[in-house]
Amino acid sequence: MKPINVGLLGIGTVGGGVFTVLKRNADEIMRRAGRDIRITVVADKNVERAKEVTGGKCRVTDDAFSVVNDPDIDIVVELIGGYGVAKELVMKAIANGKHVVTANKALLAVHGNEIFLAAQKMRVMVAFEAAVAGGIPIVKAVREGLAANHIEWIAGIINGTTNFILSEMRDKGLPFADVLKEAQALGYAEADPTFDIEGVDAAHKITILASLAFGIPMQFDKTHVEGISKLQAVDIRYAEQFGYRIKLLGITRRTPEGVELRVHPTLIPARRLIANVEGAMNAVLVQADAVGPTLYYGKGAGAEPTASSVIADLVDVTRMHTADPENRVPHLAFQPNQLVNLKVLPMGEVQTSYYLRLRVADKPGVLADITRILADEQISIDAVIQKEPGEGEEQTDLIMLTHQTREKRVNAAIAKMEQLSAVAGQVTRLRLEHLGS
Ligand code: HSE
């Protein structure tokens, strides 16, 4: 059978990996796909480097638009990233009737609704396994493997850079800024590391997962995004004393009132498998009604792990491109006319447990005042530690864990606590999830 022709846009780390793996495993990939998958043209601004990577095996150009307009190309692989020219190229490829494979989570989280609508009209596929958790086949699992289930919630460590930083902060007791430098030197961080450390990258990914899990449109603008740059090493230590680890989690949960969609540092019980995912690894925990909890673990970044997902999509598109579009797997798991606009809950309405750290005067009645405030807000205390003041100090750290409550109640209680003369400075508030089924 005639080979399927692929145009690759961007041959950086992941593009290089795609080239290498396609070549190394060509025979087996062909046995799976039923025909040869051939990269016939690569577009990259750096033509010299592109020529080096491809070793004269295909045409190289610096004009990506010539690739999406080339009538001989069947599938365009977009590995440029960002929402700028990448969006124009993807939309043009779709308009030209080409299938698209992309690793671009930012593009899909922000413009996915428009892209999928255009693809549906043009009867083409847009495949994006590599956009979430790199090499872990989580899109396939949620979209197809769990299709029988009512998915209840997903909690994922979906940014390797921040997981590496948190692991190092815990292991070595180092401050955030020092570990960030190490992560950058190791090449984990995105080109702009603020996307990693401020939680934006994880928010793109959880936005996509929420759409796949619940059949809702992409709603990145409603996702709560909070990173780890303000997290202090002292809270990692105190969390450990209570039996918890702090992870940057992307969380989405379906509740009777709407969908929770949030990224923030989270205390999770140290005994959970996912709490022991260390370094730059990713893991996604999915709670569904029929199967119960399932956990997916692997490399969330890097040349060959991400290439593994890109090529899996190439195989899928190769197998399915002649099928009637109505018989293909829908982009967002649910039939396009079955997507529902469930409300995304504002953070004040989210229900979870909390970790609070206060700097308090060590004198009679302080604890009573604080617990009174919590009781007035109907917040139940789960555990308390009060540290002994240091030598010659009159203030000490008071750390409390609460049972589940609504975030607006905790915020109201914190505002009242900060008014107490015995409480110095601001109260540190972190969210805590038990992740039980
Ligand atoms: N920068 C991302 C991470 C990898 O640290 O996980 C690509 O999504």
Side-chain angles (χ1 to χ4, degrees):
M1 209 188 277
K2 174 179 157 298
I4 197 145
N5 291 331
V6 176
L8 187 62
L9 311 181
I11 192 153
T13 309
V14 177
V18 171
F19 209 85
T20 311
V21 176
L22 261 184
K23 195 166 131 204
R24 188 174 70 228
N25 296 341
D27 288 349
E28 274 190 89
I29 291 168
M30 172 149 164
R31 282 170 57 211
R32 291 189 175 108
R35 60 203 279 194
D36 203 11
I37 297 173
R38 191 178 290 168
I39 297 178
T40 53
V41 56
V42 170
D44 200 288
K45 277 191 290 195
N46 190 339
V47 171
E48 286 318 307
R49 198 195 52 206
K51 281 186 178 158
E52 237 172 75
V53 178
T54 56
K57 296 276 188 312
C58 68
R59 197 156 56 81
V60 170
T61 174
D62 64 355
D63 179 8
F65 282 93
S66 73
V67 176
V68 298
N69 288 322
D70 183 340
D72 291 334
I73 294 297
D74 303 301
I75 308 175
V76 169
V77 177
E78 185 275 306
L79 299 175
I80 295 171
Y83 333 93
V85 71
K87 183 185 174 205
E88 280 179 58
L89 288 162
V90 165
M91 293 302 279
K92 190 74 192 158
I94 293 170
N96 287 339
K98 299 187 191 311
H99 304 286
V100 173
V101 171
T102 179
N104 193 337
K105 57 258 173 182
L107 178 65
L108 294 179
V110 177
H111 298 292
N113 301 326
E114 182 187 344
I115 290 169
F116 295 133
L117 189 63
Q120 195 195 330
K121 282 194 182 132
M122 287 305 296
R123 304 168 71 83
V124 295
M125 287 173 271
V126 175
F128 52 94
E129 184 62 73
V132 185
I136 305 176
I138 187 67
V139 170
K140 191 96 176 167
V142 174
R143 193 161 58 178
E144 298 177 53
L146 299 177
N149 288 263
H150 173 87
I151 296 177
E152 291 159 14
W153 52 261
I154 297 180
I157 296 172
I158 43 183
N159 181 271
T161 304
T162 43
N163 202 51
F164 171 81
I165 292 173
L166 293 176
S167 299
E168 291 286 288
M169 283 174 77
R170 187 178 71 83
D171 269 6
K172 301 183 181 159
L174 290 172
F176 168 80
D178 291 8
V179 187
L180 173 62
K181 282 196 202 114
E182 196 184 339
Q184 283 175 303
L186 288 167
Y188 292 143
E190 294 282 293
D192 177 356
T194 54
F195 265 41
D196 291 304
I197 62 180
E198 298 306 345
V200 180
D201 177 71
H204 289 145
K205 294 167 182 166
I206 198 69
T207 299
I208 297 172
L209 287 178
S211 290
L212 295 171
F214 308 135
I216 56 175
M218 301 280 184
Q219 292 173 88
F220 175 70
D221 55 335
K222 300 202 184 105
T223 306
H224 174 83
V225 189
E226 207 177 302
I228 62 164
S229 59
K230 296 193 183 76
L231 190 70
Q232 294 187 35
V234 66
D235 294 309
I236 296 177
R237 280 206 309 279
Y238 285 148
E240 277 215 290
Q241 291 173 18
F242 282 107
Y244 292 84
R245 298 234 169 118
I246 300 180
K247 296 287 182 188
L248 183 72
L249 289 190
I251 300 171
T252 188
R253 176 181 279 121
R254 181 156 33 185
T255 78
E257 294 142 10
V259 173
E260 296 179 3
L261 196 44
R262 48 194 170 103
V263 171
H264 49 70
T266 316
L267 276 78
I268 54 177
R271 66 178 185 281
R272 297 256 179 258
L273 264 182
I274 193 170
N276 295 282
V277 171
E278 299 288 10
M281 300 303 281
N282 281 200
V284 183
L285 180 58
V286 183
Q287 174 68 33
D289 68 338
V291 70
T294 50
L295 179 65
Y296 308 84
Y297 169 81
K299 289 187 180 160
E304 294 205 6
T306 313
S308 164
S309 287
V310 170
I311 296 169
D313 278 347
L314 285 173
V315 171
D316 261 1
V317 175
T318 303
R319 285 170 175 159
M320 294 303 293
H321 79 293
T322 52
D324 199 345
E326 281 72 41
N327 296 330
R328 295 179 189 145
V329 181
H331 290 116
L332 291 180
F334 293 72
Q335 297 298 331
N337 62 358
Q338 295 297 319
L339 295 184
V340 286
N341 254 318
L342 295 180
K343 177 183 168 198
V344 175
L345 292 176
M347 277 310 280
E349 300 302 326
V350 161
Q351 295 191 61
T352 185
S353 306
Y354 291 86
Y355 161 103
L356 304 175
R357 174 169 58 81
L358 303 88
R359 191 81 188 144
V360 296
D362 187 21
K363 60 179 192 192
V366 173
L367 193 55
D369 288 346
I370 290 166
T371 52
R372 167 60 38 214
I373 289 173
L374 289 171
D376 288 347
E377 289 295 337
Q378 310 284 311
I379 299 168
S380 168
I381 298 166
D382 181 30
V384 182
I385 297 182
Q386 185 181 324
K387 307 307 282 185
E388 268 182 58
E391 187 80 22
E393 283 183 351
E394 285 171 6
Q395 289 180 336
T396 187
D397 284 342
L398 175 67
I399 305 103
M400 301 179 131
L401 305 186
T402 77
H403 285 297
Q404 191 168 307
T405 181
R406 240 177 246 283
E407 180 138 329
K408 64 184 174 192
R409 289 191 180 278
V410 167
N411 290 346
I414 289 173
K416 288 185 202 162
M417 288 176 195
E418 288 176 348
Q419 298 295 316
L420 296 175
S421 60
V423 174
Q426 290 186 327
V427 175
T428 298
R429 182 211 62 192
L430 294 167
R431 301 172 185 97
L432 183 156
E433 292 282 345
H434 293 283
L435 302 182
S437 36

